[in-house]
Amino acid sequence: MSDAVQNASAEATPAPSLWQAVRASLSGHRESYTELPLERAILLLAVPMGLELMMESTFGLVDIFFVSKLGPAAVATVGLTGSLIILVFAFAMGLSIAATAVVARRVGEGDNEGASVAAVQAIGVGTAFALPISAIGWALAPHMLGWMGGSPDVVEGSIFTSVMFGGSATIFLIFLNNAIFRGAGDAAIAMRSLWFANLLNMILDPCLIFGWGPFPELGLAGAAVATTIGRGAGVAFQFWALASGGRRVQIERRHIRWEPQVLKRLLSIAWTGMLQFFVGTASWLGIMRIVALFGDVTLAGYTIALRLIHFAILPSWGMSNAASTMVGQNLGAGKPDRAERAVWISGRYNLYVLGTLAVVFWFLARPLSSIFTDVPGALDASVTTLRISSLAYCFAAYSMVFAQAFNGAGDTTTPTKINIAVMWCWQLPLAYLLSQRLGWGLRGVLIGVAISMATAAFVGGVVFNRGGWKNRKV
């Protein structure tokens, strides 16, 4: 029977219920994502990936919940630190894109040994990148907060920033290891590592901030210490999983070696992946700098809204990452048309997720924001941010999937070019013009960002439809 007939037969199989698909995805049962019906394959990957990323965002949400008890300046410190530490995420995500693309392609080809070797090279590079970033961030934390427009009260909390940067290795490794699991299709393991890390963070956060029980009262610094310890514990769990048997990627002693050709292939994808996220991160830093012009209270409200958005939108990133894995593995298996269909299906599912979220944020913006603050100006800023941002979610649903589809194919150059054009040449000037020159304030910033999201979706769709990504060699 031909491959086309087999695929048609497989995709005609009655789909399981949503609950059955969710249960199967959480169980971590090994599946072939190049053979399963597309809808089922995407759900099996997207559910644990979405939960994994929600757990990553929970670090910030838990920190904000407890830190908000220390006042607006402390919340603003966390917000500005988050906008700085995202630079670390940019490097980590660039390497993670490369790791996912190469591991997925090797797994799709049936070369699990090659996938394991690639995983070791990625981990080594990530560690090498993390060490100097940790040292520089620790030393320059007060200056960086000042450069971002933080008030003296905000800069006073720079120990939080120093500790967060000092723990950069845990950020790199938790992202990289989970990218390896995602590329292999073992998304449930990635999810469980962050469950474990977040549970520990939730326990330690109030203990170290407020000095509960035998723990010292560290104040704002306690939140950073708790987060770093939690991530470190998650990394330890990941290494245990990578060393244990029964998975597509299993690191053994023989894999721990220098492989220049594999490393070169990873870096050729990673450097533009880093640039891609750096462009997005720098744009976000620019937006944060503009918002900081309106004062600590507005910045605190904007920060609270961003943490809510990042937490709620991450199931959508799970759907996008599922598209990335599907593209990588199916291109490796010689099925480019199946990879393309997977992307369009992922985009449609993502639209359902973000469309629902937009309705929730529009109508429940005030009750959700009031959980974190009762300061009138901060509350109003958070509500405004949630409502205006929700208007762009339908566009974001597709722009996110297109970007990750390119990345999954190993084509990190295309989304990088789109980011430069849309975010640097369009989003930042527009946000500044609307908020400062036209005097629209915070609303102007948010409208500028929403318009740029719509632009990214349109441009990404046009380029994806051309199909050049199908011929990318990894």
Side-chain angles (χ1 to χ4, degrees):
M1 186 182 294
S2 69
D3 287 345
V5 174
Q6 286 180 333
N7 289 340
S9 176
E11 294 181 19
T13 303
S17 69
L18 178 61
W19 175 241
Q20 288 174 321
V22 169
R23 287 183 61 187
S25 68
L26 297 180
S27 71
H29 183 67
R30 186 169 172 174
E31 300 280 2
S32 173
Y33 296 105
T34 60
E35 299 294 339
L36 282 176
L38 283 172
E39 289 81 359
R40 177 175 171 80
I42 291 167
L43 281 176
L44 286 174
L45 288 168
V47 171
M49 287 181 180
L51 290 173
E52 170 209 338
L53 292 168
M54 284 181 70
M55 290 298 101
E56 173 57 39
S57 185
T58 299
F59 282 112
L61 205 60
V62 170
D63 284 349
I64 282 291
F65 178 80
F66 290 111
V67 167
S68 65
K69 315 303 180 187
L70 303 177
V75 174
T77 300
V78 173
L80 286 183
T81 300
S83 65
L84 289 166
I85 208 75
I86 201 71
L87 289 169
V88 179
F89 284 20
F91 285 107
M93 290 297 290
L95 286 170
S96 297
I97 287 170
T100 297
V102 175
V103 169
R105 191 68 68 95
R106 299 291 86 79
V107 169
E109 293 168 350
D111 181 12
N112 291 351
E113 184 76 8
S116 298
V117 171
V120 169
Q121 308 306 303
I123 291 169
V125 173
T127 304
F129 267 100
L131 296 179
I133 290 175
S134 295
I136 293 169
W138 176 275
L140 297 181
H143 303 288
M144 290 191 294
L145 290 175
W147 297 334
M148 287 297 294
S151 69
D153 288 340
V154 169
V155 175
E156 190 177 338
S158 63
I159 184 62
F160 175 88
T161 312
S162 292
V163 174
M164 290 297 289
F165 269 97
S168 294
T170 63
I171 296 173
F172 267 87
L173 291 173
I174 208 161
F175 268 97
L176 268 176
N177 291 339
N178 277 353
I180 291 164
F181 290 128
R182 287 195 299 270
D186 292 327
I189 298 297
M191 173 191 68
R192 290 169 190 165
S193 70
L194 280 172
W195 279 0
F196 176 50
N198 267 287
L199 178 61
L200 190 56
N201 181 53
M202 289 177 187
I203 294 170
L204 290 178
D205 236 346
C207 294
L208 292 174
I209 292 173
F210 306 116
W212 289 1
F215 294 92
E217 184 179 350
L218 300 178
L220 185 56
V225 173
T227 297
T228 302
I229 292 174
R231 284 199 176 109
V235 170
F237 175 85
Q238 290 171 328
F239 280 131
W240 169 83
L242 284 169
S244 61
R247 295 185 177 87
R248 294 180 179 92
V249 176
Q250 179 182 347
I251 296 177
E252 298 180 1
R253 188 183 298 273
R254 69 178 185 277
H255 299 130
I256 304 175
R257 63 181 188 269
W258 183 259
E259 287 288 347
Q261 290 304 313
V262 178
L263 185 59
K264 181 180 178 180
R265 191 179 303 121
L266 275 167
L267 291 176
S268 70
I269 299 170
W271 83 266
T272 44
M274 291 179 194
L275 180 59
Q276 177 188 150
F277 279 92
F278 176 78
V279 169
T281 298
S283 177
W284 185 43
L285 283 172
I287 294 297
M288 288 291 287
R289 185 67 182 85
I290 295 171
V291 174
L293 296 174
F294 304 116
D296 288 352
V297 173
T298 298
L299 180 60
Y302 181 71
T303 298
I304 288 168
L306 281 188
R307 292 300 171 93
L308 284 166
I309 290 170
H310 290 168
F311 178 79
I313 206 173
L314 285 174
S316 178
W317 273 112
M319 194 68 68
S320 303
N321 286 338
S324 177
T325 298
M326 290 294 291
V327 167
Q329 290 200 10
N330 282 284
L331 287 180
K335 300 179 179 180
D337 292 340
R338 177 179 164 87
E340 182 175 4
R341 293 199 307 276
V343 172
W344 288 110
I345 292 171
S346 298
R348 187 175 77 244
Y349 285 176
N350 217 14
L351 181 61
Y352 300 155
V353 172
L354 287 185
T356 302
L357 182 62
V359 174
V360 170
F361 275 167
W362 183 267
F363 289 103
L364 298 180
R366 189 164 295 275
L368 289 171
S369 299
S370 64
I371 295 172
F372 298 91
T373 184
D374 57 2
V375 177
L379 182 60
D380 290 343
S382 180
V383 170
T384 299
T385 301
L386 288 176
R387 286 181 174 164
I388 296 180
S389 297
S390 68
L391 299 177
Y393 286 171
C394 293
F395 300 107
Y398 279 96
S399 65
M400 292 163 67
V401 168
F402 290 142
Q404 288 301 90
F406 290 127
N407 289 333
D411 178 11
T412 49
T413 302
T414 296
T416 300
K417 291 178 179 177
I418 293 173
N419 279 1
I420 291 173
V422 172
M423 294 182 176
W424 281 5
C425 301
W426 180 226
Q427 182 185 93
L428 284 174
L430 183 61
Y432 185 81
L433 173 67
L434 296 178
S435 66
Q436 300 296 315
R437 298 299 183 186
L438 298 185
W440 291 7
L442 179 61
R443 287 181 175 82
V445 176
L446 299 170
I447 290 170
V449 171
I451 292 172
S452 71
M453 284 186 184
T455 306
F458 175 76
V459 174
V462 170
V463 178
F464 177 79
N465 228 21
R466 292 176 180 170
W469 54 273
K470 296 180 182 179
N471 303 315
R472 181 79 178 191
K473 303 298 181 185
V474 174

